[in-house]
Amino acid sequence: MNFHIMTLFPEMVEQGLKTSITGRAEEKGLISFNAVNIRDYSNDNKHHKVDDYTYGGGAGMLMQAQPIYDCFLAIRDSVKGLSKDKKLRVVYVTPQGSVFDQKMAADLAKEEELVFLCGHYEGVDERVLEEIVTDYVSIGDYVLTGGELPAMVMIDAISRLVPGVLNNDESAMTESFAGGLLEYPQYSRPEEWMGKKVPAILLSGDHKKVDEWRLEQSILRTRERRPDLYEKWVLENPPKEEKKKRRKRRSNQEEDNQ
Ligand code: ADE
């Protein structure tokens, strides 16, 4: 999977992504990072200006359409084997977007090429957004100074879903959110630390019981810490008796309809 990042600060993006797990994945050829400096596409040969005042007045400067568009065209031309009618997925990171979550990460992870546009100043000329952007995505209801950190957050979350990026494929499956629940508490050596003992069931060797305990802990933790996620999970995973009742109601309804 290839990430292309349109930015005014390519070194910031590269430093962040070319280290640790994402850096190792790039070295292995599983993913690649192509941070492209929008300033290189400025028509202003002297100062490489990429921003200007907003029409209608108001504080701050706006990123202009032309350098971003030309930067995008250069990225599109660099993608090998891209058919003419294929539209590249372009994510504009903005607090005005839909809030990023695990489901969105999984959806974006299906792409072979993914382009990110990082804004700065007071925003970006609307016309270039209309022309190239396919997804408007925020990382939360707060405002950062630029789009680089949000893009890096998203790229990290997407990368770890690419097969082979994590050493242990299982950890992408069982962790928080994978089944709509937060992850259960975990313990390592020693068995006792500061007077706190590891729950005895984890030392029992009974895998079935351990799995049951972990699920129970996940449910409890989600209910306590993220009641919003818990409500959703309960709707999608009704208790066994409720499932039976629903099935019966459905079959009665079907009989009535006949
Ligand atoms: N740019 C500035 N703040 C942002 C946010 N919260 N999410 C995405 N992009 C942003």
Side-chain angles (χ1 to χ4, degrees):
M1 171 164 203
N2 304 311
F3 295 98
H4 309 269
I5 306 106
M6 298 194 268
T7 169
L8 293 175
F9 301 98
E11 62 296 337
M12 175 178 179
V13 174
E14 282 177 356
Q15 270 176 20
L17 294 174
K18 288 181 187 267
T19 37
S20 187
I21 294 177
T22 46
R24 198 183 61 207
E26 190 182 36
E27 277 167 21
K28 281 205 238 165
L30 297 167
I31 50 180
S32 75
F33 306 119
N34 171 32
V36 187
N37 196 338
I38 297 168
R39 211 173 280 286
D40 291 346
Y41 295 87
S42 167
N43 278 346
D44 167 23
N45 293 333
K46 200 163 172 207
H47 302 291
H48 304 286
K49 223 165 79 82
V50 289
D51 61 320
D52 211 326
Y53 295 102
T54 43
Y55 280 118
M61 306 286 269
L62 205 63
M63 283 172 76
Q64 293 169 284
Q66 173 272 318
I68 294 175
Y69 191 60
D70 287 352
C71 180
F72 168 73
L73 292 182
I75 290 172
R76 204 178 62 183
D77 287 349
S78 75
V79 175
K80 288 191 195 89
L82 190 73
S83 63
K84 283 237 155 45
D85 50 340
K86 168 99 176 116
K87 201 165 168 18
L88 277 182
R89 195 117 178 232
V90 180
V91 177
Y92 176 44
V93 288
T94 166
Q96 296 181 14
S98 319
V99 178
F100 187 66
D101 62 9
Q102 195 63 33
K103 196 161 154 262
M104 225 186 270
D107 177 48
L108 292 168
K110 290 183 202 144
E111 301 291 331
E112 194 46 46
E113 311 287 335
L114 207 47
V115 183
F116 284 84
L117 170 60
C118 306
H120 258 270
Y121 314 118
E122 289 305 305
V124 173
D125 189 309
E126 193 66 22
R127 293 166 295 182
V128 71
L129 299 177
E130 286 169 8
E131 200 59 39
I132 67 171
V133 172
T134 56
D135 301 72
Y136 294 79
V137 190
S138 165
I139 58 161
D141 292 339
Y142 41 84
V143 182
L144 300 167
T145 54
E148 283 74 15
L149 286 172
M152 284 155 72
V153 165
M154 293 180 211
I155 291 170
D156 187 290
I158 296 163
S159 296
R160 57 192 294 294
L161 300 178
V162 173
V165 168
L166 293 184
N167 276 335
N168 178 1
D169 276 354
E170 204 200 349
S171 59
M173 295 290 292
T174 59
E175 74 207 354
S176 295
F177 304 118
L181 290 171
L182 300 182
E183 198 175 32
Y184 44 79
Q186 300 204 78
Y187 305 86
S188 183
R189 279 196 280 196
E191 260 181 55
E192 187 173 331
W193 180 77
M194 301 259 280
K196 291 167 183 279
K197 291 199 172 115
V198 171
I201 197 140
L202 298 178
L203 311 174
S204 69
D206 185 335
H207 296 300
K208 193 164 170 277
K209 285 239 164 71
V210 168
D211 286 348
E212 282 167 6
W213 180 86
R214 284 178 167 167
L215 176 61
E216 189 184 288
Q217 292 297 314
S218 279
I219 296 170
L220 288 173
R221 177 162 280 195
T222 310
R223 192 169 67 184
E224 190 182 304
R225 296 186 186 176
R226 290 292 304 271
D228 56 324
L229 286 182
Y230 176 74
E231 294 295 324
K232 238 165 117 187
W233 181 83
V234 169
L235 281 176
E236 282 160 20
N237 298 274
K240 271 189 195 145
E241 309 83 71
E242 177 59 23
K243 259 194 201 163
K244 258 195 221 161
K245 270 195 223 157
R246 281 191 198 178
R247 227 178 292 135
K248 201 161 173 202
R249 244 183 274 142
R250 232 179 287 134
S251 74
N252 286 346
Q253 228 166 21
E254 274 166 15
E255 274 174 25
D256 288 350
N257 290 344
Q258 277 168 7

